[in-house]
Amino acid sequence: QVQLVESGGGLVQAGGSLRLSCAASGTILSINARGWYRQAPGKQRELVARIYSGGRTNYADSVKGRFTISRDNAKKVVYLQMNSLKPEDTAVYYCNLETGLSYYWGQGTQVTVSS
């Protein structure tokens, strides 16, 4: 059973920074990609950033140039560095792990950006 545990969320003023972490545990045979998604109240969950097994990354247009996804394969941790935060970045952020057969999700961590 794969488990994902996020940390690093919180309350920050606009223009500030936060770094989210997602630690994976359990038996993971092959990872296709790891990513971060977010869901704001009344909105659908959306992709924020994804990093593939080969290292390629992609980002939502709304966060390009402000957010950076990275990973530590040895520790099975993926990070999301969020800079120049805006009130519209307020959401619950979810960590995701994709294998060839399954998707796994963390429990989510709240990020609130005050204006």
Side-chain angles (χ1 to χ4, degrees), residues 4-7 20-24 34 36 76-79 95:
L4 303 177
V5 178
E6 300 107 332
S7 61
L20 306 182
S21 300
C22 174
R34 297 191 68 176
W36 289 95
K76 297 183 183 178
V77 178
V78 66
Y79 304 98
C95 174

Side-chain angles (χ1 to χ4, degrees), residues 5 11 15 34 59 67 73 87-88:
V5 178
L11 173 64
R34 297 191 68 176
Y59 295 90
F67 291 10
N73 287 335
E88 51 263 44

